[in-house]
Amino acid sequence: DRKDEQCTPMKGWQTGFYPTCNRIHEMDLIQQSDPNLGGDMHLFGTNGYWRNAWRVDYSCDKGFEGCKETVVLKTLKFEHDFDEAQYER
């Protein structure tokens, strides 16, 4: 009977934990950008043609007080000057 068989991983990576960047979608960026709400988000790169780069320091879930992790978040610029070449792309 197949119900009694154990599932055995074929490779070691199948039982490991590999976190992804999905946590970035859970962040409250409004709160992160407001220091009065405990946010710690700073614009540090504005030289990109289409994007800005932000440093975001956020609390991590490591189980101890004061744990912070840092990510770089790239966002499209809110305002951008278009020229004829951009419309042709």
Side-chain angles (χ1 to χ4, degrees):
D1 190 296
R2 293 189 71 89
K3 288 194 304 187
D4 295 333
E5 292 179 18
Q6 289 282 338
C7 179
T8 306
M10 296 174 72
K11 301 287 182 182
W13 63 263
Q14 292 174 318
T15 59
F17 175 68
Y18 305 96
T20 67
C21 62
N22 289 339
R23 178 119 192 241
I24 196 78
H25 300 289
E26 300 170 1
M27 284 185 179
D28 182 349
L29 295 178
I30 301 297
Q31 180 180 347
Q32 287 291 345
S33 63
D34 189 344
N36 296 322
L37 297 174
D40 197 1
M41 181 171 165
H42 305 281
L43 180 64
F44 75 90
T46 59
N47 293 334
Y49 192 71
W50 292 102
R51 291 176 179 80
N52 288 326
W54 302 82
R55 175 188 167 143
V56 183
D57 297 313
Y58 66 96
S59 298
C60 58
D61 297 329
K62 301 279 190 213
F64 53 91
E65 188 79 20
C67 177
K68 292 274 190 177
E69 292 188 2
T70 300
V71 296
V72 173
L73 176 66
K74 288 185 174 183
T75 59
L76 291 174
K77 291 185 175 183
F78 290 119
E79 294 182 17
H80 199 285
D81 293 328
F82 287 93
D83 57 22
E84 263 326 289
Q86 301 306 318
Y87 286 113
E88 296 297 321
R89 288 181 135 193

